[in-house]
């Protein structure tokens, strides 16, 4: 745990010196160039640290060794593997280059891609990189990428794709989502969800959609589960994956951010397309966590929406004009996320997480 805390503290400190909005804040060309160089240096430094920690791990993550077995099966071709073909071909390609069962290289490549897409997505989209990065680390997105490597690569690509929705470059948006689907097909949900979140505006004519969505999730349980099993037949009846559970912590976190955003909605959200989209994503996650608890792997689906929180919270904080109130809100949020992060790390040895204790193949 001490290593994880040190890595987090180090990278967060580096993130404080990154100003992704430097173009509009520097009055001279030389100042912009210096900030641009500093940003590049620090982002690359953070990437190297996060990539190295992930790539050098061994046996870390609840599915590390099962993935290693799957790599062997993919090479042998004598057992059916329910992975998307993009991942299967990548694994086969890497083993042909580096040798059979060279699983460390495969995990390293996945770590490289995941960290790169996450950092690029944050840098391109965030209005306040340091706060976004803090929330990203505190939510456990980085450390949980040690498990479920296919899913977290898809999640990273979805974060990267946000910029194209905001730019209304929907061809590139769909292209990158399809690329992500080569590794984890749940990312396909992002296309309708992100577009709906971007275009949906709240007023008296649309607010009825909220209770309607809640009722539809409750009443449509049999049909929704039937449709889900069409796409995920392997999950039906699974003692681990096909279970109903209510994530009270995630509901509480989504509700807290929803209330916070509503308090400052007029200046912090309304009229800002990015803030409105992230607000909607958080609202969607709140509804799905609360009324779609029976959906397979609800958290995996909701994480595509929860990602909006790390951009929404900094935008709302920066919109608070009263300096004392802004500092109070910022401090409260940081303390709350610090507690959440420490609880997350404390549970790091539990089954289903297994990110502790950290081990590396460097000394084996």
């Amino acid at each position: 745990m001490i290593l994880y805390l040190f890595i987090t503290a180090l990278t967060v400190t580096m993130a404080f010196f990154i100003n992704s909005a430097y173009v509009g804040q520097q009055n001279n060309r030389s100042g912009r160039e210096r900030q641009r160089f500093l940003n590049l240096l620090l982002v690359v430094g953070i990437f190297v640290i996060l990539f190295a920690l992930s790539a050098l791990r061994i046996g870390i993550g609840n599915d590390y060794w099962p993935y290693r077995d799957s790599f062997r099966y993919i090479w042998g071709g004598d057992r059916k593997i329910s992975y998307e073909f993009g991942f299967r071909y990548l694994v086969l390609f890497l083993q042909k280059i580096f040798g059979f069962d060279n699983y460390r290289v495969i995990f390293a490549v996945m770590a490289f891609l995941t960290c790169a897409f996450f950092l690029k997505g944050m840098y391109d989209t965030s209005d306040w990189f340091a706060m976004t990065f803090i929330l990203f680390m505190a939510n456990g997105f980085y450390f949980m990428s040690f498990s479920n490597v296919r899913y977290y690569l898809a999640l990273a690509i979805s974060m990267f794709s946000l910029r194209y929705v905001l730019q209304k470059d929907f061809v590139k948006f769909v292209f990158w989502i399809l690329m992500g689907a080569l590794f984890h097909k749940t990312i396909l949900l992002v296309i309708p969800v992100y577009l709906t979140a971007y275009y949906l505006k709240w007023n008296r004519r649309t607010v009825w959609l909220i209770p309607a969505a809640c009722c539809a999730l409750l009443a449509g349980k049999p049909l929704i589960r039937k449709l889900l099993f069409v796409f995920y037949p392997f999950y039906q009846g699974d003692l681990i994956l096909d279970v109903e559970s209510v994530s009270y912590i995630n509901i509480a976190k989504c509700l807290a951010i929803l209330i916070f955003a509503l308090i400052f909605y007029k200046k912090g959200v309304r009229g800002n397309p990015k803030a409105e989209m992230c607000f909607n994503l958080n609202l969607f996650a709140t509804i799905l966590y609360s009324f779609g608890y029976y959906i397979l792997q609800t958290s995996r689906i909701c994480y595509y929406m929860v990602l909006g929180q790390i951009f929404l919270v900094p935008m709302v904080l920066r919109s608070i004009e009263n300096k004392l109130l802004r500092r109070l809100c910022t401090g409260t949020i940081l303390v709350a996320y610090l507690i959440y992060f420490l609880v997350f790390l404390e549970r790091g040895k539990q089954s289903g997480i297994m990110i502790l204790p950290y081990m590396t193949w460097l000394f084996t």
Side-chain angles (χ1 to χ4, degrees):
M1 183 186 293
I2 294 177
L3 175 63
Y4 290 171
L5 290 173
F6 172 75
I7 292 295
T8 301
L10 176 61
T11 53
V12 164
T13 301
M14 295 169 68
F16 267 106
F17 294 95
I18 296 174
N19 180 3
S20 56
Y22 66 93
V23 174
Q25 295 184 3
Q26 297 290 343
N27 295 322
N28 58 79
R29 182 175 180 180
S30 61
R32 291 196 299 269
E33 290 302 316
R34 284 196 300 270
Q35 186 62 56
R36 180 175 180 272
F37 177 76
L38 180 62
N39 286 352
L40 178 62
L41 186 66
L42 291 171
V43 169
V44 170
I46 292 173
F47 168 79
V48 170
I49 293 170
L50 298 184
F51 163 66
L53 187 69
S54 181
L56 296 177
R57 76 189 191 280
I58 187 168
I60 304 300
N62 67 302
D63 52 4
Y64 187 96
W65 296 121
Y67 261 117
R68 190 240 183 133
D69 293 337
S70 297
F71 300 159
R72 293 174 169 177
Y73 299 148
I74 290 171
W75 175 269
D78 55 353
R79 181 177 298 193
K80 187 174 182 180
I81 302 295
S82 62
Y83 294 156
E84 288 75 7
F85 72 88
F87 181 74
R88 295 201 306 269
Y89 281 122
L90 176 62
V91 169
L92 190 60
F93 173 74
L94 291 174
Q95 290 192 95
K96 285 184 176 180
I97 294 178
F98 297 100
F100 168 67
D101 199 30
N102 201 334
Y103 58 93
R104 299 172 186 173
V105 172
I106 300 173
F107 281 116
V109 170
M110 295 296 288
F112 181 94
L113 294 173
T114 302
C115 291
F117 278 113
F118 268 138
L119 283 172
K120 180 62 174 172
M122 282 185 279
Y123 186 80
D124 287 344
T125 306
S126 178
D127 289 352
W128 183 2
F129 183 86
M131 180 58 72
T132 291
F133 185 76
I134 289 172
L135 300 184
F136 169 77
M137 295 296 287
N139 271 292
F141 291 133
Y142 166 69
F143 292 108
M144 281 304 296
S145 70
F146 294 176
S147 299
N148 306 311
V149 293
R150 294 182 302 117
Y151 169 75
Y152 275 90
L153 174 56
L155 189 68
I157 292 174
S158 75
M159 179 187 288
F160 170 77
S161 74
L162 270 173
R163 61 177 293 190
Y164 296 116
V165 178
L166 296 170
Q167 294 170 2
K168 295 186 179 181
D169 192 342
F170 301 124
V171 173
K172 289 183 179 178
F173 166 63
V174 172
F175 169 79
W176 281 109
I177 296 305
L178 292 178
M179 290 299 100
L182 296 178
F183 296 90
H184 208 282
K185 58 189 175 184
T186 55
I187 196 176
L188 292 173
L189 292 168
V190 162
I191 296 176
V193 169
Y194 281 14
L195 293 179
T196 301
Y198 181 75
Y199 281 107
L200 181 59
K201 308 299 179 183
W202 294 112
N203 51 53
R204 293 179 180 179
R205 292 176 296 178
T206 58
V207 71
W208 65 271
L209 291 171
I210 297 176
C214 298
C215 293
L217 282 170
L218 290 176
K221 176 179 176 180
L223 177 60
I224 292 173
R225 283 181 57 83
K226 185 177 180 179
L227 291 174
L228 286 171
F229 288 132
V230 172
F231 292 97
Y232 297 99
F234 298 98
Y235 287 0
Q236 190 167 11
D238 190 287
L239 296 178
I240 298 177
L241 300 175
D242 187 13
V243 294
E244 297 183 5
S245 61
V246 180
S247 180
Y248 295 105
I249 293 179
N250 282 314
I251 292 174
K253 185 170 60 171
C254 288
L255 277 174
I257 292 175
L258 182 64
I259 294 170
F260 171 65
L262 284 172
I263 292 173
F264 301 100
Y265 188 86
K266 186 175 181 179
K267 290 188 176 180
V269 179
R270 181 181 295 168
N272 182 338
K274 186 194 302 185
E276 289 179 341
M277 178 181 179
C278 292
F279 175 86
N280 288 338
L281 289 175
N282 182 70
L283 175 62
F284 296 168
T286 306
I287 293 172
L288 199 55
Y289 271 129
S290 303
F291 300 95
Y293 57 88
Y294 55 84
I295 295 175
L296 306 174
Q297 297 290 285
T298 308
S299 290
R300 287 191 183 184
I301 296 174
C302 287
Y303 275 9
Y304 289 117
M305 308 168 206
V306 170
L307 280 177
Q309 296 175 353
I310 70 175
F311 303 113
L312 175 64
V313 172
M315 283 188 285
V316 175
L317 284 172
R318 295 190 69 173
S319 73
I320 302 174
E321 296 178 349
N322 185 296
K323 186 178 294 187
L324 179 61
L325 180 59
R326 183 171 65 250
R327 289 177 177 176
L328 179 61
C329 290
T330 302
T332 302
I333 289 171
L334 288 175
V335 170
Y337 269 98
L338 176 61
I339 295 173
Y340 179 87
F341 182 54
L342 292 175
V343 172
F344 165 75
L345 290 181
E346 185 64 29
R347 298 171 58 213
K349 296 181 180 180
Q350 293 183 6
S351 175
I353 302 179
M354 297 178 64
I355 59 172
L356 286 172
Y358 182 80
M359 293 180 289
T360 176
W361 48 262
L362 277 179
F363 310 111
T364 59

